[in-house]
Amino acid sequence: MQPITKTNDLIALCKRLSKAEFITVDTEFLRDNTYFPQLCLVQVADDNEAHCIDPLAEGLDLQPLFDLFADTNVLKVMHACRQDMEIFYLLMKDLPAPIFDTQIAAMVCGFGDSVGYETLVTKITHAQLDKSARYTDWSKRPLSDTQLTYALGDVTHLRTIYRSLKKELEETGRTSWVEEETEMLRDPSLYVVEPSEAWLRMKVRTNKPRFLGILKALAEWREIQAQERDMPRGRIAKDEVLFEIAAHPAKDMESLDRLRGIPKGFSKSRSGKALFDAIQKGLDIPEADLPKIERAKPRPATPPMADLLKVLLKQKCQDAKVATRMIASAQELEEWAAMPKKTDIRALQGWRYKIFGEDALKLMRGDLALTARNGDIDIVELEEEAG
């Protein structure tokens, strides 16, 4: 039950796991008080063994584990792996490959949208998870047997879940669907926030170019501070404070201390100078180079066709046993109904076209109808009238 804390033990484990067809992987981490997630535990398993690895152990070198994750001969199986992938990217400067996300696979196999791990454990393995350690502090040592048992459960049941989903995907010819979706998770841009683009994540209420120029510089300052100090960006300055500064930029250092949300004496600190420099940077942007946001147009009423498309999507996904989220979102359908000639949507690409897109086009052309019968929806192809 004891976690691996010695580099030699980790090297030996990774050598054994490198011979496996696949390994299951999970992590425990904290990020309540930091900008970057703090990795506290890594769990790995193959068909023969399961172990916890303690990344906080003094002197432990995780490179053997990273080499295993980079080994393309070993499939890495995870559940809802985006946060795990972010952690590994930050530590490895690369991403594990190849990967298999059981949440994505479960959506393709008819388990519904964003199905949780506990649900899959119950439905596929018929076991019950003990979740009593879910919200414990994983950074404190020593870890209890209860914590370690909980952590190992996140990779041991995953073996059975993977084999079950893999079998169904192969039988239905849908393996490539999952590969297509998981490949998107190997895009490094998903896991890095460029400071110069941080302002784009903020919900602004005005599109005045000068305000946006100052806000962009302020958001970049905050992101750099948060990354360098490894603090949540809200601890550096809340969005509302940056909005206030952008709307009423300080004209000198002393004016900073009079701004709401800025602590007294902040102007005399190194961070205060960096903040004032950011304000000046925003003020000095030439008019022609100021960022612009298109004024949001009043959203038109949802076309009635969108409602029909939603009904058709639900019915087709129910018939195909695939989650609707894998095909199209409600917003995508509403935009498509408003612009019927739009072609750059997911529903018309690849396997999604066969499941839904083809019939959706027929519905929009009037070549297909939806009817109700005994409480169910029937999809009826309409014949062209003669003459």
Side-chain angles (χ1 to χ4, degrees):
M1 184 64 73
Q2 290 303 309
I4 289 176
T5 59
K6 303 295 183 185
T7 301
N8 286 340
D9 293 337
L10 181 59
I11 291 172
L13 170 64
C14 291
K15 185 176 180 180
R16 296 194 301 272
L17 294 180
S18 68
K19 298 178 174 63
E21 172 195 348
F22 72 91
I23 60 172
T24 54
V25 182
D26 190 44
T27 65
E28 306 300 338
F29 61 91
L30 299 174
R31 71 182 314 165
D32 297 341
N33 299 309
T34 59
Y35 178 91
F36 299 105
Q38 179 188 7
L39 181 62
C40 299
L41 201 67
V42 182
Q43 305 96 275
V44 293
D46 66 1
D47 278 330
N48 302 311
E49 55 186 319
H51 296 275
C52 292
I53 301 163
D54 186 358
L56 301 183
E58 185 177 352
L60 179 64
D61 183 359
L62 292 177
Q63 190 57 49
L65 182 66
F66 298 155
D67 292 341
L68 178 64
F69 287 166
D71 186 344
T72 56
N73 294 314
V74 182
L75 180 68
K76 273 63 70 173
V77 178
M78 295 176 270
H79 182 83
C81 70
R82 183 160 176 164
Q83 289 183 311
D84 299 321
M85 294 286 277
E86 177 190 2
I87 292 171
F88 296 142
Y89 182 73
L90 292 171
L91 294 173
M92 296 171 57
K93 307 306 178 189
D94 197 1
L95 288 163
I99 62 171
F100 182 99
D101 190 316
T102 53
Q103 184 177 73
I104 292 174
M107 289 194 286
V108 170
C109 292
F111 284 88
D113 289 340
S114 303
V115 60
Y117 179 67
E118 189 172 0
T119 299
L120 292 182
V121 170
T122 301
K123 290 187 175 182
I124 294 178
T125 73
H126 308 295
Q128 295 294 322
L129 288 178
D130 178 6
K131 307 301 283 187
S132 59
R134 180 183 297 180
Y135 299 112
T136 58
D137 186 344
W138 292 98
S139 66
K140 289 185 176 179
R141 296 295 183 269
L143 295 169
S144 68
D145 286 350
T146 299
Q147 286 176 300
L148 294 171
T149 300
Y150 163 87
L152 286 173
D154 283 344
V155 289
T156 52
H157 296 300
L158 197 54
R159 299 178 292 201
T160 304
I161 291 170
Y162 164 67
R163 291 200 182 281
S164 175
L165 294 174
K166 178 176 181 284
K167 182 173 183 290
E168 183 166 348
L169 291 170
E170 290 172 347
E171 289 174 350
T172 56
R174 297 181 178 184
T175 301
S176 62
W177 300 10
V178 175
E179 290 173 346
E180 178 186 325
E181 290 294 313
T182 52
E183 185 58 29
M184 297 179 189
L185 294 169
R186 298 201 71 256
D187 180 359
S189 67
L190 292 174
Y191 311 110
V192 177
V193 178
E194 293 295 338
S196 61
E197 297 178 359
W199 72 284
L200 295 171
R201 296 171 175 241
M202 304 173 72
K203 296 180 180 179
V204 297
R205 299 183 182 87
T206 177
N207 63 349
K208 295 179 179 178
R210 182 58 62 188
F211 171 91
L212 295 176
I214 300 172
L215 182 64
K216 179 181 179 181
L218 293 173
E220 182 175 1
W221 162 80
R222 181 177 68 174
E223 204 71 21
I224 292 172
Q225 289 278 313
Q227 291 179 1
E228 289 181 349
R229 297 164 65 181
D230 195 16
M231 291 176 59
R233 57 180 68 90
R235 297 270 184 91
I236 303 297
K238 296 187 180 302
D239 286 1
E240 293 74 16
V241 173
L242 298 192
F243 294 151
E244 180 74 15
I245 298 173
H248 308 286
K251 293 180 174 55
D252 50 55
M253 290 290 291
E254 289 69 28
S255 301
L256 282 179
D257 293 336
R258 294 194 290 272
L259 291 171
R260 188 175 61 181
I262 297 296
K264 240 180 180 179
F266 184 75
S267 63
K268 295 180 175 60
S269 68
R270 187 173 63 177
S271 295
K273 182 181 185 309
L275 172 57
F276 186 74
D277 289 344
I279 296 172
Q280 291 303 306
K281 180 179 178 180
L283 289 169
D284 292 341
I285 298 174
E287 291 288 336
D289 296 334
L290 288 170
K292 295 178 177 60
I293 295 179
E294 293 292 331
R295 185 179 293 277
K297 297 178 181 177
R299 190 172 178 179
T302 302
M305 179 57 72
D307 295 325
L308 291 179
L309 287 172
K310 291 173 186 177
V311 173
L312 178 65
L313 176 63
K314 187 171 184 179
Q315 187 63 47
K316 296 293 290 187
C317 288
Q318 182 175 304
D319 294 342
K321 295 183 179 179
V322 60
T324 57
R325 179 181 147 191
M326 296 292 292
I327 306 288
S329 67
Q331 182 177 343
E332 286 173 320
L333 295 182
E334 289 168 9
E335 291 175 355
W336 191 16
M339 295 179 286
K341 294 184 179 180
K342 186 178 174 72
T343 58
D344 58 336
I345 59 173
R346 289 190 301 155
L348 294 178
Q349 311 302 320
W351 59 269
R352 295 176 180 84
Y353 176 76
K354 289 295 183 184
I355 295 289
F356 170 70
E358 185 175 18
D359 278 350
L361 288 173
K362 291 178 181 179
L363 179 68
M364 296 170 80
R365 289 197 306 261
D367 297 335
L368 183 145
L370 303 176
T371 65
R373 181 181 299 174
N374 299 324
D376 293 325
I377 298 296
D378 278 352
I379 301 169
V380 180
E381 295 242 16
L382 301 178
E383 298 180 2
E384 292 185 15
E385 294 184 5

